[in-house]
Amino acid sequence: MSETSTDRVTAAVLIIGDEILSGRTQDTNLRDIARYLGVLGVDVAEARTVPDVLDEIVDALNALRSRYDYVITTGGIGPTHDDITADAVAAAFGVALEEHPEIIAMLEARFGDQLNAARRRMARVPVGGTLVKNPVQGPPGFAIGNVFVLAGVPQIMRGMLEDVGPRLRGGRPVVSRTVRVEGSGEGAIAAPLEAVAKAHPNMSLGSYPFFTPEGYGSNLVLRGRDPAEVEAVVGELIAALAAAGVTGAHEPMV
């Protein structure tokens, strides 16, 4: 079955923060978002990391939201001066920021008379935006248009994703299978793998080498949306490898 434009739903991830680019903080959000969306049939087709610079966030956001069905941002919605994601999203959509009354109420309940100007920054939402629930701690994120703005702290971000998922138009989920080849390098695998990949342009076939004390080889990962095609291509690939003299290709036991 040929894949049509309506079969594929795409998303981009925009990771915001100087701390990611400096290496002080290791990003795990991209991995978690891709895994979560994949189950829903939404492909993460691009990811970018940008610093805490307003114009760069705006430019990246406008480029991504015009190209993909959804954009998920992480980071930059805290109380400090360099948390400027809300400002950038408002600028990208050409709307003003306003304090959301529900967030103000949450902050007042938590901080009381300690609700200072810095903390009130976390209540700012672009006009027309809706809230993204935060079941972990702190104020919620927000959504506007096809953009979802989430926290950068991984635990909080994952909690917010649970409110994002039901709002997305899911595509056909991707089916993934693995063919394991032991004792052969990528040089021997490349030609049959390429031939099978070219014969099935709607699928993704990748080679991922491994090296262990017991030996070496590659895991060949096949991904597609038609389960019957994926099943057939597994057999086709194993046969093509055998014809090229690569023996022992098999699906690993789950």
Side-chain angles (χ1 to χ4, degrees), residues 31 89 95 213:
R31 175 200 65 194
V89 174
V95 299

Side-chain angles (χ1 to χ4, degrees), residues 73-92:
T73 79
T74 67
I77 58 173
T80 61
H81 72 283
D82 57 347
D83 289 313
I84 57 173
T85 299
D87 305 80
V89 174

Side-chain angles (χ1 to χ4, degrees), residues 108-199:
E108 288 176 340
R110 180 178 179 184
F111 296 109
D113 58 6
Q114 300 299 310
L115 180 56
N116 56 27
R119 288 169 174 152
R120 293 183 76 99
R121 284 175 56 83
M122 296 186 292
R124 299 176 308 145
V125 173
V127 173
T130 59
L131 300 186
V132 174
K133 294 178 183 177
N134 176 358
V136 182
Q137 65 178 13
F142 62 85
I144 181 170
N146 63 340
V147 176
F148 296 86
V149 178
L150 309 185
V153 177
Q155 182 183 8
I156 298 175
M157 188 283 300
R158 290 193 297 268
M160 289 181 172
L161 270 180
E162 297 298 332
D163 189 39
V164 173
R167 308 189 197 191
L168 305 182
R169 174 178 66 87
R172 298 175 63 195
V174 171
V175 178
S176 178
R177 298 276 290 273
T178 299
V179 172
R180 186 175 177 88
V181 179
E182 298 177 358
S184 294
E186 287 191 297
I189 294 167
L193 180 65
E194 181 181 8
V196 174
K198 286 183 176 179

Side-chain angles (χ1 to χ4, degrees), residues 14-225:
L14 182 60
I15 302 160
I16 299 166
D18 292 340
E19 70 278 6
I20 302 296
L21 290 167
S22 71
R24 291 192 300 270
T25 300
Q26 182 177 7
D27 176 70
T28 60
N29 288 332
L30 173 59
R31 175 200 65 194
D32 293 339
I33 293 169
R35 288 176 176 174
Y36 182 87
L37 296 185
V39 174
L40 304 178
V42 178
D43 289 347
V44 172
E46 185 174 347
R48 298 190 189 185
T49 304
V50 294
D52 297 311
V53 176
L54 186 77
D55 289 345
E56 294 198 32
I57 300 171
V58 171
D59 289 346
L61 184 61
N62 280 333
L64 295 173
R65 71 187 181 95
S66 66
R67 183 173 183 181
Y68 301 107
D69 295 306
Y70 303 107
V71 179
I72 295 178
T73 79
T74 67
I77 58 173
T80 61
H81 72 283
D82 57 347
D83 289 313
I84 57 173
T85 299
D87 305 80
V89 174
F93 280 87
V95 299
L97 281 173
E98 62 181 3
E99 289 186 343
H100 197 288
E102 289 185 38
I103 304 181
I104 289 293
M106 294 176 194
L107 294 174
E108 288 176 340
R110 180 178 179 184
F111 296 109
D113 58 6
Q114 300 299 310
L115 180 56
N116 56 27
R119 288 169 174 152
R120 293 183 76 99
R121 284 175 56 83
M122 296 186 292
R124 299 176 308 145
V125 173
V127 173
T130 59
L131 300 186
V132 174
K133 294 178 183 177
N134 176 358
V136 182
Q137 65 178 13
F142 62 85
I144 181 170
N146 63 340
V147 176
F148 296 86
V149 178
L150 309 185
V153 177
Q155 182 183 8
I156 298 175
M157 188 283 300
R158 290 193 297 268
M160 289 181 172
L161 270 180
E162 297 298 332
D163 189 39
V164 173
R167 308 189 197 191
L168 305 182
R169 174 178 66 87
R172 298 175 63 195
V174 171
V175 178
S176 178
R177 298 276 290 273
T178 299
V179 172
R180 186 175 177 88
V181 179
E182 298 177 358
S184 294
E186 287 191 297
I189 294 167
L193 180 65
E194 181 181 8
V196 174
K198 286 183 176 179
H200 298 275
N202 291 331
M203 289 183 55
S204 169
L205 282 75
S207 175
Y208 303 91
F210 64 83
F211 302 90
T212 69
E214 292 74 30
Y216 67 96
S218 287
N219 287 314
L220 309 181
V221 179
L222 301 80
R223 301 174 74 247
R225 286 187 163 78

